[in-house]
Amino acid sequence: MMKLINSLWFKRRDIVSDGFDESLEYISKIIPLKIHKTSTGTKCWTWVVPEKWSVNEAYIEDLNGKRVLDLKDHPLHIMSYSLPIDKIVSKKELFQHLHTNAERPDAIPFEFKYYQRDWGFCIQNNKLKEFTKENYKVFIDSKFEKGSLKVGDYTIKGKTDKTIVLVAHLCHPGQVNDDLTGVAVLVDIAKELAKKKNYYTYKFLFVPETIGSIAYLSQNEDIIPKIEYGIFLEMLGNDNIHALQLSRQGDTRLDKIARYVMKRKLENFNEGAFRTIVANDEIAFNGPGVDIPMISISRYPYSEYHTSDDNLDIISKQRLEQSKNLILEILDIIDKDFTPKRNFKGPIFLSGHGLWVDWRENMELNQNLEKIMLNLEGDKTVFDIAEELNMKFDDVFNFINKLKELKLVK
Amino acid sequence: MMKLINSLWFKRRDIVSDGFDESLEYISKIIPLKIHKTSTGTKCWTWVVPEKWSVNEAYIEDLNGKRVLDLKDHPLHIMSYSLPIDKIVSKKELFQHLHTNAERPDAIPFEFKYYQRDWGFCIQNNKLKEFTKENYKVFIDSKFEKGSLKVGDYTIKGKTDKTIVLVAHLCHPGQVNDDLTGVAVLVDIAKELAKKKNYYTYKFLFVPETIGSIAYLSQNEDIIPKIEYGIFLEMLGNDNIHALQLSRQGDTRLDKIARYVMKRKLENFNEGAFRTIVANDEIAFNGPGVDIPMISISRYPYSEYHTSDDNLDIISKQRLEQSKNLILEILDIIDKDFTPKRNFKGPIFLSGHGLWVDWRENMELNQNLEKIMLNLEGDKTVFDIAEELNMKFDDVFNFINKLKELKLVK
Amino acid sequence: MMKLINSLWFKRRDIVSDGFDESLEYISKIIPLKIHKTSTGTKCWTWVVPEKWSVNEAYIEDLNGKRVLDLKDHPLHIMSYSLPIDKIVSKKELFQHLHTNAERPDAIPFEFKYYQRDWGFCIQNNKLKEFTKENYKVFIDSKFEKGSLKVGDYTIKGKTDKTIVLVAHLCHPGQVNDDLTGVAVLVDIAKELAKKKNYYTYKFLFVPETIGSIAYLSQNEDIIPKIEYGIFLEMLGNDNIHALQLSRQGDTRLDKIARYVMKRKLENFNEGAFRTIVANDEIAFNGPGVDIPMISISRYPYSEYHTSDDNLDIISKQRLEQSKNLILEILDIIDKDFTPKRNFKGPIFLSGHGLWVDWRENMELNQNLEKIMLNLEGDKTVFDIAEELNMKFDDVFNFINKLKELKLVK
């Protein structure tokens, strides 16, 4: 995971850009991606795909030619989708186009105006005091042109067409935790699932934020009814506990399984309703008329968010591994889960069928045998039963599988 | 409003009486009333319309001819629907027919026995000590005859036949707050609504209490299915906070809108379930087999209730105006309310459609734009959304109307 | 009730045994029982009917022929369904087959291994120290043979085929409270109900625990859909408050009526969910695929449970009478209960129909007349109304019956 992050983080990965396309290409060497393209100007529901944007050079000089800001130093120095400019401006006018973050005065903030035509630079707040002159030359050699918004899609076919989609965005230049960590974990999960026989079909999407998901879904509406659940992954490397943001429905099987796994695996985690922890592409997947339940798993918040301090220093491989294992366990349960329905009447003659479990062998199971037996009416999944009885999923799963082998359950 | 009250309050407005009919005639000079008549003896569901009652003269004298009570002094001195009598009775027998109110010893109580044949006078408790003789002459020249129970009905046609009914009773002689204040506010509201184009049809009913509503509904059963909601108005002039008595259903849109308006308009108000604040004609409109949700708005309780102290001194024009405006606002919301249904998919591209609202312009709306967008599935009215998001109704109404103009909502 | 208990308690009433059959015969002299037989080896759903078991003689001797335990002294001295044996065994081996109860060291515990082939004796814990020799002779002359499991069934036909089943088990030898008290109360209730005209059909079952109910139900599946409710009676004589164990459904009319009667009749009682107070044959009647709501009424727990201390000394006739009356009242309400539906519209003209109830006559009824009137929509039974209004069942029942006579209710 760290290699991918190292290779991509400093790239100019604006939403429709050569850097974004190159990043997709990099990933497709690890897992085979299908690239969905949508041209500039295409109507995507109520949205329109923006132009491809690129920038060659950008700087601010005083009139003596002394550079006080140069894009070469950091990709965040320019506002993403800035207009080109080449002009002498007063300090006052310049300052209306300089973005800073007073709370992190030594960091360059991340700014973007995708749909509002403007020019702008981003700079450390502490550097504002160095602007002592009356006038400055501002130069931005940026270009807007027809292009294609791209979405990377890796699909692992399962036993059924029913699909679980996992999404991360690839579009914030010069940043790491948001969201190359999500991308890296996604790639690793994909590699794991590719080795297994799965019940569900799994689809991994690498998108430019918001517009990427909207473009993909609006151009592939036939896929929507097949997607049962979605997980958005982001900001998984920073030093904070996990945060589970529930789907808009809030109480789907995925919401419950994610909460169940987090409760059992983690010492501590946050939980919040839809859109109350962190806003991202769940608004597209789980939005009006789409309605795919999408949870989001992150370690949000963290103070370096949307600044040049969101770099390699703040993430750890160990935390990425922990997040990956957490999500794999959630997927393991949802993939194995099914709805058992009894074939028997009355209480089961447990000892007569070798089903008795001594308390010395498994106390939790021993105490719940009867309750499991009373919950096989076909209105609960194995997970529902495990959750209701506060038991280990695999204990319930294995016991019910024995009943299945004895044809006591179908 | 005060003129109507001044003109009618001292009238002998018993439930079926000339005084009641004259009062209806007075109102019909302000708003054009249709008069529904039901003859004495008519079966009205399980009830029967009583006879018309009138009284010419009534007094109590000692055997020296000294009058100790005379109906001329106050219409409440006789029990409504008293039998006639002309007899010398012992003080003991007389006292069994004298009604007083020990808690307001200087006031004459209001008593009635519409369905239980008896004679009786009403008198100040403090006057009982003046009865020092052994025997008294009691004289009541009252008359029972065939007549017609009358209900005044003013109907303002709206865009739809669906009807909201507003009711007040006109039948308590010699009293003001109960319920000439309700009548006066009703008349003013009728005048206001007549000036507007309304969605609902509004029906204003002036009735003798209980039997009037039962007579009207039982003789006009075809109207019942058209009536969606009802409001009973009463006792709106006294010095107390408003009381909202919910409908029998308790959670209709009208209940919620009334509570919402009261919460936003008033510093303080009482709220209670059906029949727990004050009992009135909601038992007919919202009773078994009729089931029209009817709330009641009053300023109950007040200590002068059902006595001669319920007079012009205890009401104020300002309070009547406040109640009127409150009810007009409730009606304004219910009349404008509708169920929006989205035409779009995914999140709306707000800035692309000029729909973005800056927080500096309207913070409440800015913070709720997304939530409004997520609530246009056709299962909530505009009011439901405003209530759920704790927002101003008109802000939500106006924003959704913009979506309607853009055909994003139908 | 005491005579039956006295006559049967010391009998060898193992689950399939001559003693059990003789006990049923004894009961059938009081109430006419139909005996259902199921042969050894019959498959009963997932269960199999065990063999008939009998024991002629059983003792432990030291090698000098001194008896240290003799079955003649108490039927509990042998483990029910013990294998036969005739062998010299070491003290160590013997002790692996001796069952004691350390918490009641002077009592013989009740032990059974119906489905697990083993031999064993039961003995007072305090007697263990008397075993001072190295070897002992153990002798058990028990016999396993083909037989018939028997269930006694007394059915009282009601106006409808819908059935309420009352069950107690007859199978614990040498014990009284568990469950000859349940049997005795059942017999007395049967005698009472036989004198009345009932709406429901009542079925009284006397079974060997668990397997008896499973055998009966599995061999009579056609009866199951007719059974609406069940009550299991047990341990009603000991000195403890009553315990109501709810049905698996937990909120049926029977659950609510039982709770209502207990609240009104008893100073104090325990209540618990299905299988949380005491486990018994409700697992068969109310188990998967059978689903007859079965409550259980007992005075559980008590410290003499499953020992030789569960004898005549710990029960009282007065407590059995109290339990009997409690259950008769529950049955009285459920039998009289029905769903009234109004024939009238609007509020009823109560005084016009002689239905008015003065508060001096019955304050509770007076205050609830209107509420009863508002609850006759056909979605509540008389009991539901009484419970909701916290009223005496018979007051509501009698008032609604008056409405029925006036054809205001059907």
Side-chain angles (χ1 to χ4, degrees):
Chain A
M1 296 190 275
M2 297 312 286
K3 198 180 155 203
L4 179 149
I5 292 170
N6 270 301
S7 309
L8 300 183
W9 85 276
F10 218 67
K11 260 198 187 304
R12 182 83 265 128
R13 293 170 282 109
D14 304 278
I15 54 175
V16 182
S17 67
D18 292 333
F20 189 93
D21 299 353
E22 291 157 24
S23 302
L24 276 184
E25 230 164 279
Y26 180 94
I27 294 168
S28 70
K29 281 170 193 154
I30 313 171
I31 50 174
L33 292 185
K34 181 178 166 194
I35 307 293
H36 294 268
K37 300 177 188 173
T38 318
S39 311
T40 296
T42 307
K43 273 217 72 176
C44 295
W45 293 332
T46 63
W47 296 65
V48 178
V49 173
E51 292 162 296
K52 174 178 152 186
W53 182 79
S54 50
V55 59
N56 189 38
E57 197 180 359
Y59 56 80
I60 306 173
E61 284 181 355
D62 66 18
L63 299 192
N64 301 325
K66 192 191 159 199
R67 297 223 166 162
V68 285
L69 176 152
D70 195 327
L71 175 60
K72 288 195 189 84
D73 298 333
H74 200 288
L76 287 182
H77 269 320
I78 188 142
M79 185 178 80
S80 190
Y81 276 70
S82 172
L83 293 175
I85 196 158
D86 180 2
K87 194 177 169 191
I88 310 283
V89 296
S90 70
K91 181 180 161 187
K92 192 183 162 195
E93 184 181 351
L94 173 60
F95 268 45
Q96 286 165 354
H97 295 267
L98 283 191
H99 302 279
T100 71
N101 179 343
E103 289 177 16
R104 293 191 80 76
D106 290 320
I108 311 160
F110 170 46
E111 282 295 330
F112 49 90
K113 292 196 179 171
Y114 302 139
Y115 308 107
Q116 179 185 353
R117 302 271 140 162
D118 196 6
W119 61 271
F121 294 93
C122 304
I123 191 164
Q124 298 89 334
N125 191 278
N126 276 342
K127 286 216 168 161
L128 290 182
K129 58 180 179 287
E130 295 174 16
F131 287 80
T132 53
K133 306 287 166 62
E134 296 237 331
N135 293 292
Y136 288 91
K137 175 178 180 181
V138 291
F139 180 80
I140 298 175
D141 175 14
S142 67
K143 198 163 62 174
F144 290 80
E145 58 192 312
K146 291 215 164 224
S148 284
L149 179 151
K150 300 212 175 98
V151 168
D153 167 7
Y154 174 43
T155 300
I156 304 170
K157 283 271 170 208
K159 198 178 156 193
T160 175
D161 261 5
K162 291 185 222 165
T163 299
I164 294 176
V165 68
L166 294 104
V167 187
H169 72 71
L170 187 57
C171 65
H172 288 16
Q175 287 153 81
V176 168
N177 194 41
D178 180 12
D179 181 27
L180 284 181
T181 56
V183 169
V185 169
L186 213 61
V187 168
D188 256 36
I189 289 171
K191 279 157 53 181
E192 290 293 328
L193 293 192
K195 297 176 200 160
K196 290 171 54 189
K197 292 223 165 192
N198 302 303
Y199 173 76
Y200 280 104
T201 291
Y202 291 91
K203 184 180 279 291
F204 300 81
L205 297 178
F206 304 90
V207 299
E209 194 177 348
T210 311
I211 182 66
S213 294
I214 292 169
Y216 176 81
L217 290 168
S218 65
Q219 305 307 304
N220 297 281
E221 287 203 352
D222 55 314
I223 291 174
I224 295 172
K226 293 180 194 155
I227 307 180
E228 275 203 3
Y229 301 108
I231 304 180
F232 198 89
L233 296 185
E234 55 186 334
M235 311 185 233
L236 294 166
N238 61 296
D239 185 12
N240 195 357
I241 57 172
H242 280 92
L244 166 63
Q245 179 174 281
L246 301 176
S247 72
R248 185 172 158 213
Q249 291 80 352
D251 62 350
T252 69
R253 205 156 50 104
L254 176 61
D255 292 282
K256 289 177 191 165
I257 291 175
R259 178 191 291 131
Y260 170 95
V261 170
M262 290 198 170
K263 271 190 185 162
R264 293 188 159 245
K265 281 269 158 182
L266 304 174
E267 254 182 66
N268 208 353
F269 70 101
N270 284 327
E271 183 185 311
F274 191 63
R275 306 289 279 177
T276 61
I277 288 181
V278 58
N280 231 300
D281 293 30
E282 66 283 339
I283 196 61
F285 284 88
N286 212 341
V290 188
D291 300 318
I292 299 161
M294 179 174 266
I295 62 170
S296 139
I297 294 175
S298 70
R299 294 178 186 267
Y300 195 78
Y302 65 109
S303 56
E304 301 85 356
Y305 176 73
H306 273 199
T307 73
S308 56
D309 287 346
D310 181 348
N311 57 37
L312 294 163
D313 296 343
I314 68 162
I315 70 162
S316 94
K317 198 186 163 202
Q318 189 194 342
R319 289 194 288 265
L320 297 185
E321 289 289 347
Q322 190 196 28
S323 300
K324 178 182 109 180
N325 291 329
L326 198 70
I327 293 153
L328 280 172
E329 178 147 348
I330 292 168
L331 296 176
D332 182 60
I333 291 180
I334 206 164
D335 209 81
K336 278 150 82 174
D337 197 22
F338 69 100
T339 304
K341 171 97 183 76
R342 69 172 166 76
N343 265 330
F344 61 88
K345 278 187 194 173
I348 301 175
F349 184 22
L350 292 172
S351 58
H353 291 86
L355 289 164
W356 182 251
V357 177
D358 194 90
W359 64 268
R360 278 161 296 226
E361 192 188 318
N362 186 333
M363 170 73 95
E364 191 175 83
L365 185 52
N366 165 278
Q367 292 184 332
N368 283 299
L369 286 176
E370 183 176 303
K371 286 177 190 159
I372 295 175
M373 191 176 84
L374 291 175
N375 275 297
L376 303 170
E377 299 300 313
D379 56 348
K380 289 174 185 167
T381 72
V382 174
F383 168 74
D384 291 334
I385 299 169
E387 191 198 26
E388 190 175 312
L389 302 179
N390 195 22
M391 290 181 67
K392 268 181 75 173
F393 174 81
D394 278 338
D395 279 353
V396 182
F397 180 76
N398 292 333
F399 180 74
I400 292 178
N401 257 354
K402 275 192 209 160
L403 298 183
K404 213 170 165 177
E405 285 159 20
L406 291 164
K407 305 217 183 298
L408 291 168
V409 148
K410 60 189 163 189
Chain B
M1 295 191 276
M2 297 312 284
K3 198 182 154 204
L4 179 148
I5 291 169
N6 269 300
S7 309
L8 300 183
W9 84 278
F10 217 66
K11 259 198 190 301
R12 179 87 265 132
R13 291 170 283 109
D14 304 279
I15 55 176
V16 182
S17 67
D18 291 335
F20 190 93
D21 298 354
E22 290 157 24
S23 302
L24 276 184
E25 231 165 277
Y26 180 95
I27 294 168
S28 70
K29 281 169 194 158
I30 312 172
I31 51 174
L33 293 185
K34 181 177 166 193
I35 307 293
H36 293 269
K37 299 177 190 174
T38 318
S39 311
T40 296
T42 306
K43 274 216 72 177
C44 295
W45 293 332
T46 63
W47 296 64
V48 178
V49 173
E51 292 161 297
K52 174 177 151 188
W53 181 78
S54 50
V55 58
N56 189 37
E57 196 180 1
Y59 57 81
I60 306 173
E61 285 181 354
D62 66 17
L63 299 192
N64 300 326
K66 194 191 157 199
R67 297 224 166 162
V68 285
L69 177 153
D70 196 327
L71 175 59
K72 289 198 188 83
D73 297 335
H74 200 290
L76 286 181
H77 268 319
I78 187 145
M79 185 179 80
S80 190
Y81 275 70
S82 171
L83 293 175
I85 196 158
D86 181 1
K87 194 177 170 190
I88 310 285
V89 296
S90 69
K91 181 179 163 187
K92 192 182 161 195
E93 184 181 351
L94 173 59
F95 267 46
Q96 286 165 354
H97 295 267
L98 284 191
H99 301 280
T100 71
N101 180 341
E103 288 177 16
R104 293 191 81 76
D106 290 320
I108 311 161
F110 170 47
E111 283 295 331
F112 49 89
K113 292 197 178 170
Y114 301 139
Y115 307 107
Q116 182 185 348
R117 302 272 140 161
D118 196 6
W119 62 270
F121 293 92
C122 303
I123 192 164
Q124 298 89 334
N125 191 277
N126 276 342
K127 285 216 171 161
L128 290 182
K129 59 178 178 290
E130 295 173 16
F131 288 79
T132 51
K133 305 290 167 60
E134 297 237 329
N135 294 291
Y136 286 91
K137 175 176 181 183
V138 292
F139 180 80
I140 298 175
D141 176 13
S142 68
K143 199 163 61 173
F144 289 81
E145 58 192 314
K146 291 217 165 222
S148 282
L149 179 152
K150 301 215 176 95
V151 169
D153 168 7
Y154 174 44
T155 300
I156 304 170
K157 283 271 170 206
K159 200 178 156 193
T160 175
D161 261 4
K162 290 186 222 164
T163 300
I164 294 177
V165 67
L166 294 105
V167 187
H169 72 71
L170 187 58
C171 65
H172 288 16
Q175 287 153 82
V176 168
N177 194 41
D178 179 14
D179 180 26
L180 283 182
T181 56
V183 169
V185 169
L186 214 62
V187 168
D188 257 36
I189 289 171
K191 279 156 53 180
E192 289 294 327
L193 293 192
K195 295 177 201 160
K196 292 171 54 190
K197 291 223 167 192
N198 304 303
Y199 173 74
Y200 279 104
T201 291
Y202 291 91
K203 184 180 279 292
F204 299 82
L205 297 179
F206 304 91
V207 299
E209 195 178 349
T210 313
I211 183 65
S213 295
I214 292 168
Y216 177 81
L217 289 167
S218 65
Q219 306 306 307
N220 296 281
E221 286 203 350
D222 55 314
I223 292 175
I224 295 173
K226 294 180 195 155
I227 308 180
E228 277 202 1
Y229 301 109
I231 304 180
F232 198 89
L233 296 185
E234 54 186 335
M235 311 185 231
L236 294 167
N238 60 297
D239 186 11
N240 194 359
I241 57 173
H242 280 92
L244 167 63
Q245 178 173 282
L246 301 176
S247 73
R248 183 171 158 211
Q249 290 81 353
D251 61 350
T252 69
R253 205 158 48 105
L254 176 61
D255 290 284
K256 290 177 190 165
I257 292 174
R259 178 191 292 131
Y260 171 95
V261 170
M262 288 198 172
K263 270 190 185 161
R264 293 187 159 245
K265 281 271 158 179
L266 303 174
E267 256 182 63
N268 206 354
F269 71 100
N270 284 328
E271 183 184 311
F274 192 62
R275 306 289 280 177
T276 61
I277 288 180
V278 57
N280 231 302
D281 292 30
E282 66 283 338
I283 195 62
F285 284 87
N286 212 342
V290 187
D291 300 318
I292 299 160
M294 178 174 265
I295 62 170
S296 138
I297 294 176
S298 69
R299 294 177 187 267
Y300 194 78
Y302 64 109
S303 56
E304 300 85 357
Y305 176 72
H306 274 200
T307 72
S308 55
D309 287 347
D310 182 348
N311 57 37
L312 294 163
D313 296 344
I314 68 163
I315 70 162
S316 93
K317 196 184 164 203
Q318 190 195 340
R319 290 194 287 266
L320 296 185
E321 289 289 345
Q322 190 196 27
S323 300
K324 178 182 110 180
N325 290 330
L326 199 69
I327 294 153
L328 281 171
E329 179 147 349
I330 293 168
L331 296 176
D332 183 60
I333 290 180
I334 206 165
D335 208 81
K336 276 150 85 174
D337 197 23
F338 70 100
T339 304
K341 171 98 183 73
R342 68 175 166 73
N343 265 331
F344 60 88
K345 279 188 193 172
I348 300 174
F349 184 22
L350 291 173
S351 59
H353 291 86
L355 288 165
W356 183 252
V357 176
D358 194 89
W359 64 268
R360 279 161 296 228
E361 192 187 316
N362 185 335
M363 171 72 95
E364 192 176 82
L365 184 52
N366 164 279
Q367 293 185 332
N368 283 299
L369 285 175
E370 184 176 302
K371 286 178 189 159
I372 296 175
M373 192 175 83
L374 291 175
N375 275 297
L376 302 172
E377 299 300 313
D379 56 347
K380 289 175 187 168
T381 71
V382 175
F383 168 74
D384 292 335
I385 300 168
E387 191 198 24
E388 190 175 313
L389 303 179
N390 195 19
M391 290 181 67
K392 266 181 77 173
F393 175 82
D394 277 339
D395 279 353
V396 182
F397 180 77
N398 293 333
F399 180 75
I400 292 178
N401 256 355
K402 274 192 207 159
L403 298 182
K404 212 170 165 178
E405 284 158 22
L406 290 164
K407 304 217 183 298
L408 291 168
V409 148
K410 62 187 161 190
Chain C
M1 295 189 275
M2 299 310 285
K3 198 181 151 202
L4 179 149
I5 293 169
N6 269 301
S7 310
L8 300 183
W9 84 276
F10 218 66
K11 261 200 187 300
R12 182 82 268 129
R13 291 168 284 110
D14 304 280
I15 55 175
V16 182
S17 67
D18 291 334
F20 190 91
D21 298 354
E22 289 157 25
S23 302
L24 277 184
E25 231 165 279
Y26 179 94
I27 294 168
S28 70
K29 282 169 193 155
I30 311 172
I31 50 173
L33 294 185
K34 181 177 167 193
I35 307 294
H36 293 267
K37 301 177 188 174
T38 318
S39 310
T40 295
T42 307
K43 275 216 72 177
C44 294
W45 292 333
T46 64
W47 296 65
V48 178
V49 173
E51 294 160 295
K52 174 178 151 186
W53 182 79
S54 49
V55 59
N56 188 36
E57 198 179 0
Y59 57 81
I60 307 173
E61 284 180 354
D62 64 21
L63 300 192
N64 301 325
K66 193 191 157 201
R67 298 223 165 162
V68 285
L69 177 152
D70 195 326
L71 174 61
K72 288 196 189 84
D73 297 335
H74 200 289
L76 287 181
H77 267 320
I78 187 144
M79 185 178 82
S80 191
Y81 275 71
S82 171
L83 295 175
I85 195 160
D86 181 2
K87 194 178 169 190
I88 309 286
V89 296
S90 69
K91 182 180 162 185
K92 192 181 162 196
E93 184 181 350
L94 173 60
F95 267 46
Q96 285 166 354
H97 295 267
L98 284 191
H99 302 280
T100 70
N101 180 342
E103 288 178 16
R104 293 191 82 78
D106 290 319
I108 311 160
F110 170 48
E111 281 296 328
F112 49 89
K113 291 196 178 170
Y114 302 139
Y115 309 106
Q116 182 186 349
R117 303 270 139 162
D118 197 5
W119 62 270
F121 293 92
C122 303
I123 191 165
Q124 297 89 334
N125 192 277
N126 275 342
K127 285 214 170 162
L128 291 181
K129 59 179 179 286
E130 296 174 16
F131 288 79
T132 54
K133 307 290 166 59
E134 297 237 331
N135 294 291
Y136 287 89
K137 174 176 182 183
V138 292
F139 180 80
I140 297 176
D141 175 13
S142 67
K143 198 164 63 175
F144 289 80
E145 58 193 312
K146 290 217 164 223
S148 283
L149 178 152
K150 300 211 175 97
V151 168
D153 168 5
Y154 174 44
T155 301
I156 303 171
K157 283 271 170 205
K159 198 177 156 193
T160 174
D161 260 5
K162 292 186 221 162
T163 299
I164 295 176
V165 68
L166 294 105
V167 187
H169 71 70
L170 186 58
C171 65
H172 288 17
Q175 287 153 80
V176 168
N177 194 42
D178 180 13
D179 183 26
L180 285 182
T181 56
V183 169
V185 169
L186 214 61
V187 169
D188 257 35
I189 289 171
K191 278 156 53 181
E192 290 293 328
L193 293 192
K195 296 177 200 159
K196 291 171 53 190
K197 291 222 167 193
N198 303 303
Y199 173 76
Y200 280 104
T201 291
Y202 290 91
K203 185 181 277 292
F204 300 81
L205 297 178
F206 304 90
V207 299
E209 195 177 348
T210 312
I211 182 66
S213 295
I214 292 168
Y216 177 82
L217 290 167
S218 66
Q219 306 307 305
N220 296 280
E221 287 202 351
D222 55 314
I223 291 174
I224 295 172
K226 293 179 194 157
I227 307 180
E228 277 202 1
Y229 301 108
I231 304 180
F232 198 89
L233 295 186
E234 55 186 335
M235 311 184 232
L236 294 167
N238 61 296
D239 186 12
N240 194 358
I241 56 172
H242 279 93
L244 167 64
Q245 178 174 281
L246 301 177
S247 73
R248 185 172 159 211
Q249 290 80 353
D251 62 349
T252 69
R253 206 158 46 106
L254 176 62
D255 291 283
K256 289 177 190 164
I257 291 175
R259 178 191 292 130
Y260 171 93
V261 170
M262 288 198 172
K263 270 191 186 160
R264 292 187 160 245
K265 282 268 157 181
L266 303 174
E267 254 182 66
N268 208 353
F269 70 100
N270 284 326
E271 183 185 310
F274 191 64
R275 306 288 280 178
T276 61
I277 288 181
V278 58
N280 230 302
D281 292 29
E282 65 283 339
I283 195 64
F285 284 87
N286 212 343
V290 188
D291 300 319
I292 299 161
M294 180 175 264
I295 62 170
S296 138
I297 294 176
S298 70
R299 292 176 186 268
Y300 194 79
Y302 65 108
S303 55
E304 300 85 357
Y305 176 74
H306 273 200
T307 73
S308 55
D309 287 346
D310 182 347
N311 56 38
L312 293 164
D313 295 344
I314 68 163
I315 70 162
S316 92
K317 199 186 161 202
Q318 190 195 341
R319 290 195 287 267
L320 297 185
E321 289 289 344
Q322 191 197 28
S323 300
K324 179 182 110 181
N325 291 330
L326 199 69
I327 294 153
L328 281 171
E329 178 146 350
I330 292 168
L331 296 177
D332 182 61
I333 291 179
I334 207 165
D335 208 81
K336 277 148 84 174
D337 197 21
F338 71 99
T339 304
K341 172 99 184 73
R342 67 172 167 75
N343 265 331
F344 61 88
K345 279 188 193 172
I348 300 175
F349 184 21
L350 291 173
S351 58
H353 290 86
L355 289 165
W356 183 251
V357 176
D358 193 89
W359 64 268
R360 279 161 295 225
E361 191 188 320
N362 185 335
M363 170 72 96
E364 192 176 83
L365 184 53
N366 164 279
Q367 292 184 333
N368 283 299
L369 286 176
E370 184 176 303
K371 287 177 188 159
I372 295 175
M373 192 176 83
L374 291 175
N375 274 297
L376 302 171
E377 299 301 312
D379 55 347
K380 289 176 186 167
T381 71
V382 175
F383 168 73
D384 292 336
I385 299 169
E387 191 198 25
E388 191 175 313
L389 302 179
N390 196 20
M391 290 180 68
K392 267 181 74 174
F393 174 82
D394 278 338
D395 279 353
V396 182
F397 180 76
N398 293 332
F399 180 74
I400 292 178
N401 257 354
K402 274 192 210 160
L403 298 183
K404 213 170 164 177
E405 284 159 21
L406 290 165
K407 306 216 182 298
L408 291 167
V409 148
K410 61 189 161 189

